[in-house]
Amino acid sequence: HTLIFHRAFDELDSPCDALELLHERGWNGILTTGADHGDAAVEGLRSLLDCAGDRMDIVGSGGIRKGNVAEVLAETGLREVHFRAPLGNTDLTDPQMVTDTVKAVRL
């Protein structure tokens, strides 16, 4: 089974220490912005990837959309991201936004 720790991780003071603790307790990955704010932080994500090595997956999040997903992946070295694709002001998903974001990654 895969256990991914949610973005509550972004509120912790010592990310690398917390990553070690989660790994020891059987977590496989962390969903994070790499910082304690809403947007993906390139430096923080890179740092977490260094701490994690190949022991845990780091799933980047935070304002990732078609216009920045390729750049975030390239600048951080992430292999996985999580993003929202809101349909207007609803809780529904915009299928075109999903398609466009996936295309941006595969270019």
Side-chain angles (χ1 to χ4, degrees), residues 79-92:
R79 295 179 308 180
E80 299 176 70
V81 295
H82 169 77
F83 67 95
R84 288 185 63 236
L87 183 61
N89 291 328
T90 71
D91 289 333
L92 301 174

Side-chain angles (χ1 to χ4, degrees), residues 6-96:
H6 194 266
R7 278 183 50 181
F9 184 85
D10 293 337
E11 301 299 322
L12 302 174
D13 292 330
S14 302
C16 285
D17 291 340
L19 184 146
E20 291 299 326
L21 185 66
L22 289 170
H23 175 68
E24 290 170 6
R25 285 169 174 66
W27 292 85
N28 307 98
I30 299 168
L31 175 66
T32 178
T33 63
D36 61 350
H37 53 80
D39 292 331
V42 171
E43 294 297 324
L45 289 165
R46 264 192 259 158
S47 176
L48 283 170
L49 282 170
D50 288 343
C51 293
D54 62 358
R55 297 170 301 138
M56 290 184 80
D57 295 326
I58 302 300
V59 182
S61 66
I64 296 173
R65 301 287 187 273
K66 70 178 181 179
N68 68 351
V69 66
E71 180 180 344
V72 168
L73 289 169
E75 290 185 11
T76 61
L78 288 171
R79 295 179 308 180
E80 299 176 70
V81 295
H82 169 77
F83 67 95
R84 288 185 63 236
L87 183 61
N89 291 328
T90 71
D91 289 333
L92 301 174
T93 298
D94 182 337
Q96 188 60 54

